[in-house]
């Protein structure tokens, strides 16, 4: 088919890798969008390489050669999600920045499409080490992006200078993920505000002090 010819690769590549620009980037974008669609619709266990190729408009051999398996697709999607994630906020206060972080997490978890994608990749990570490492890498990247807000808060005297920024940020998002994954309870702005307040109270008490 014309679209398949346009997007197909001429040279083999390491699964999940991409050269900047050109056909390779177009192929990767099309395949990852098809993967995201499939995860949002049917979950990880229904991920089918042939269907992904058809949805992306590329040859099956291209998908198998580059990504190797559904696990390879999910791992590369997570890397791509980390690359495309929004930068950290700078509201001028630590509390404001943490509220922005909680609001971003809340927005993603309550988005019908992205919530379904996250549930699917978390399920994949629970049963596959490669997916687990990719998911861990995604969250490491997000923590690295946001931990400067805690350093800025310390510089303004809002929090102790020896506060572990990553632990404080984990305390903000953990209650939201618990409701999202474990209890499957509804999530709303009040839950995000409560998580921020609890994290700041714990930080004021020295719970996240580097020892």
């Amino acid at each position: 088919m014309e679209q398949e010819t346009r997007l197909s690769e001429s040279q083999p590549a390491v699964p999940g890798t991409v050269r900047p620009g050109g056909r390779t980037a177009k192929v990767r974008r099309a395949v990852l969008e098809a993967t995201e669609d499939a995860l949002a619709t049917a979950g990880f266990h229904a991920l089918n390489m042939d269907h992904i190729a058809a949805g992306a408009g590329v040859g099956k051999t291209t998908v198998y050669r580059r990504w190797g398996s559904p696990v390879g697709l999910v791992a590369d999607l997570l890397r791509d999600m980390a690359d495309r994630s929004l930068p950290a906020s700078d509201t001028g206060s630590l509390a404001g920045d943490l509220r922005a972080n909680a609001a971003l997490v809340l927005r993603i978890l309550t988005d019908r499409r992205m919530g379904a994608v996250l549930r699917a990749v978390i399920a994949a990570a629970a049963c596959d080490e490669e997916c687990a490492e990719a998911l861990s890498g995604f969250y490491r990247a997000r923590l690295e992006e946001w931990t400067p807000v805690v350093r800025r808060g310390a510089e303004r005297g809002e929090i102790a200078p020896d506060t572990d920024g990553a632990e404080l940020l984990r305390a903000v998002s953990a209650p939201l993920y618990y409701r999202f994954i474990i209890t499957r309870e509804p999530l709303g702005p009040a839950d995000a505000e409560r998580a921020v307040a609890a994290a700041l109270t714990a930080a004021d008490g020295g719970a996240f002090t580097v020892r």
Side-chain angles (χ1 to χ4, degrees):
M1 60 189 291
E2 181 181 348
Q3 186 179 17
E4 179 175 321
T5 302
R6 185 175 72 248
L7 292 177
S8 292
E9 299 270 21
S10 61
Q11 297 295 327
V14 177
T17 61
V18 58
R19 296 186 302 272
R23 290 181 182 175
T24 300
K26 291 177 182 178
V27 167
R28 184 178 186 239
R29 173 55 42 215
V31 169
L32 294 184
E33 286 179 356
T35 300
E36 192 173 287
D37 288 341
L39 289 171
T41 302
F44 173 71
H45 294 294
L47 205 58
N48 180 284
M49 300 284 279
D50 291 359
H51 294 168
I52 295 300
V58 304
K60 290 187 291 185
T61 55
T62 296
V63 177
Y64 281 99
R65 182 174 65 244
R66 286 183 53 113
W67 286 273
S69 69
V71 167
L73 288 169
V74 172
D76 197 30
L77 177 62
L78 282 164
R79 288 188 286 269
D80 183 65
M81 288 168 61
D83 290 341
R84 292 185 290 121
S85 294
L86 294 174
S89 297
D90 187 357
T91 66
S93 74
L94 177 59
D97 290 343
L98 294 182
R99 289 189 183 99
N101 178 268
L104 176 60
V105 172
L106 178 67
R107 186 162 67 248
I108 292 170
L109 296 185
T110 56
D111 181 85
R112 185 171 182 178
R113 175 184 174 84
M114 288 311 301
V117 170
L118 273 176
R119 279 202 172 94
V121 298
I122 290 169
C127 59
D128 184 271
E129 187 60 33
E130 183 181 354
C131 283
E133 179 54 35
L135 185 62
S136 177
F138 171 78
Y139 284 110
R140 281 196 303 271
R142 298 312 297 144
L143 286 172
E144 288 170 4
E145 173 67 29
W146 279 85
T147 48
V149 308
V150 181
R151 186 187 65 246
R152 292 196 298 266
E155 291 169 352
R156 290 189 295 261
E158 298 173 281
I159 199 166
D162 55 355
T163 299
D164 187 320
E167 287 302 320
L168 175 53
L169 286 161
R170 289 188 182 101
V172 171
S173 60
L176 304 179
Y177 275 95
Y178 182 84
R179 294 172 74 96
F180 175 71
I181 293 294
I182 305 300
T183 64
R184 305 292 289 266
E185 297 173 82
L187 278 167
D191 301 302
E193 181 64 31
R194 188 183 305 113
V196 171
L200 284 172
T201 298
D204 287 341
F208 309 121
T209 299
V210 177
R211 302 185 189 282

